[in-house]
Amino acid sequence: RQGSSAAAGQLQRNDIITKLNQTPVTDLAQFEREYKSARETKPTEAVVFEVLRGTDTQIVRIEPTR
């Protein structure tokens, strides 16, 4: 969504998230647990994704909403 933290961090529609804060992402349920935990335990810190964008690996930093 335009204006969201993900958009501000340049996360794109077809990006495949492979790591969340250096933890490999194996499936959607595990991603959701890890993301929720990161936001609950460190709400003021950025979440860092490693994403596969096409054939390139990119690092995307998502800052918490203020």
Side-chain angles (χ1 to χ4, degrees):
R1 274 181 300 183
Q2 191 173 9
S4 69
S5 295
Q10 310 238 332
L11 192 63
Q12 297 179 7
R13 178 177 290 270
N14 292 316
D15 285 350
I16 299 170
I17 299 171
T18 58
K19 291 184 182 178
L20 185 150
N21 291 341
Q22 300 182 350
T23 300
V25 173
T26 57
D27 58 44
L28 182 58
Q30 181 254 348
F31 169 81
E32 289 173 339
R33 284 190 307 274
E34 294 286 337
Y35 184 81
K36 182 178 179 182
S37 175
R39 285 297 182 217
E40 288 175 351
T41 59
K42 298 178 182 178
T44 61
E45 292 186 20
V47 174
V48 180
F49 298 137
E50 182 176 294
V51 301
L52 185 60
R53 183 175 294 160
T55 58
D56 297 325
T57 299
Q58 303 284 324
I59 302 299
V60 176
R61 184 180 175 91
I62 307 296
E63 297 292 337
T65 51
R66 304 209 186 268

